[in-house]
Amino acid sequence: MFQLVYGDHDLVLPLALDAVAEERLVDLMSIAVEPGAERADLARRITDAISTLLDCQIVPPTEKQLKYAVAIAMELSLAIPPEVLRHRHAMTEFLGAHAQTYRQRKGRA
């Protein structure tokens, strides 16, 4: 099992990779430690992926997303959870969960 460990701190995050992904990552890590391999490139790509994930979680929704969410909430009599108004990833999930019903009611499905 893979884990993301933060230095000497007691922070450990188990990574629940499926067997295929785990095997592929082991292969990539094994290749990366061979002489002449670019281990730094693998580390950079993993770092970039984590940074992208974190950026998605702290980026606020766009004005267009906010307006669409309000329209959906009004039409479907929904409350918009606070995190939806603060985080783009939560907004994307909210819109994904309710947009089709909204479009059906508006006759645009």
Side-chain angles (χ1 to χ4, degrees), residues 68 71-72 75 99-109:
Y68 193 36
I72 288 172
E75 178 67 28
Q100 183 174 356
T101 303
Y102 172 77
R103 287 191 305 269
Q104 288 171 341
R105 286 225 186 140
K106 290 296 207 176
R108 298 183 210 156

Side-chain angles (χ1 to χ4, degrees), residues 4-75:
L4 185 61
V5 179
Y6 181 60
D8 294 332
H9 303 278
D10 291 329
L11 296 173
V12 176
L13 178 65
L15 303 175
L17 300 174
D18 64 46
V20 173
E22 189 170 311
E23 183 178 333
R24 182 67 183 128
L25 184 54
V26 168
D27 289 345
L28 287 171
M29 291 174 66
S30 298
I31 293 168
V33 296
E34 293 175 4
E38 296 194 24
R39 186 181 186 117
D41 182 56
L42 176 61
R44 180 193 53 76
R45 289 187 291 150
I46 292 171
T47 301
D48 289 348
I50 291 171
S51 295
T52 298
L53 171 70
L54 296 175
D55 287 346
C56 290
Q57 292 189 2
I58 59 173
V59 174
T62 66
E63 190 64 34
K64 187 175 179 180
Q65 286 177 316
L66 289 168
K67 288 178 182 178
Y68 193 36
V70 168
I72 288 172
M74 289 176 63
E75 178 67 28

